[in-house]
Amino acid sequence: MALKDEITTYQFWKQYGESLLQNVDVDNAWKRLSGEGSHNPAWIMGHLAWVANMLVEGFGETSQIDMKAWGERFGMGSNSTDDADGGPSWDELLAAWREGHDAVVAHVGNVTAEILAAPNPFEALRGSFPTTGEFFSFLLSGHESLHLGQLSAWRRAQGESPLF
């Protein structure tokens, strides 16, 4: 199966993410650590859900969320906001992340060698990840860990102890 090792890592990140989410106070989920440029748990989970569904679409399957609306709020280049108005609820964010993760794992077997060999559809990252396969590999491993690290830092700033 293509991306087998990355899927093993991706499943680990989901378990780690679930652990990080254990003590997130829903009332504070939209609170940023500092000013502009920092990300709060709501943005992080919305962003990871959006990316999971982007992967699902890249595998030739149907997204489970409105990619345009979610992309405007949580996509590449978007910013966290302290305001939950107009966006999905915390429960919707978590459900979309979990369901997106599960859909990626369920559909990764459908990705073809031709898809993986194609040029990376995100031109801005094509210099680092020339092919779709390299880009998908990054999204399943490094990208998820990067944003879960932000969630870990947010938790610590809220007085939670590190998980490891």
Side-chain angles (χ1 to χ4, degrees):
M1 169 178 40
L3 303 170
K4 180 181 176 285
D5 293 338
E6 290 86 346
I7 287 296
T8 299
T9 302
Y10 193 62
Q11 289 174 311
F12 169 80
W13 290 130
K14 184 180 180 195
Q15 292 170 351
Y16 179 60
E18 292 287 2
S19 297
L20 289 173
L21 292 167
Q22 289 297 311
N23 295 323
V24 172
D25 176 7
V26 175
D27 293 332
N28 285 324
W30 292 91
K31 180 180 166 191
R32 290 179 288 172
L33 285 175
S34 60
E36 201 62 37
S38 68
H39 295 304
N40 56 33
W43 185 90
I44 293 166
M45 300 319 295
H47 180 70
L48 293 176
W50 177 75
V51 168
N53 279 276
M54 181 181 63
L55 278 164
V56 168
E57 285 188 341
F59 296 161
E61 302 295 330
T62 303
S63 169
Q64 300 172 355
I65 61 173
D66 178 341
M67 292 298 289
K68 183 175 181 346
W70 281 62
E72 289 171 3
R73 184 137 190 167
F74 303 111
M76 197 169 155
S78 66
N79 290 308
S80 287
T81 174
D82 294 324
D83 186 6
D85 292 343
S89 70
W90 179 245
D91 289 340
E92 290 169 321
L93 291 169
L94 297 188
W97 174 67
R98 290 174 177 132
E99 291 166 12
H101 242 272
D102 293 345
V104 166
V105 173
H107 296 298
V108 71
N110 299 341
V111 68
T112 65
E114 291 78 24
I115 290 172
L116 295 174
N120 179 351
F122 274 84
E123 193 172 333
L125 295 176
R126 203 174 287 155
S128 298
F129 308 104
T131 68
T132 298
E134 291 165 319
F135 183 54
F136 284 177
S137 179
F138 165 70
L139 292 178
L140 293 166
S141 55
H143 179 264
E144 191 88 0
S145 66
L146 180 149
H147 289 297
L148 290 177
Q150 292 171 333
L151 180 58
S152 179
W154 184 92
R155 286 178 72 256
R156 288 183 189 193
Q158 302 303 309
E160 295 290 332
S161 59
L163 296 180
F164 55 124

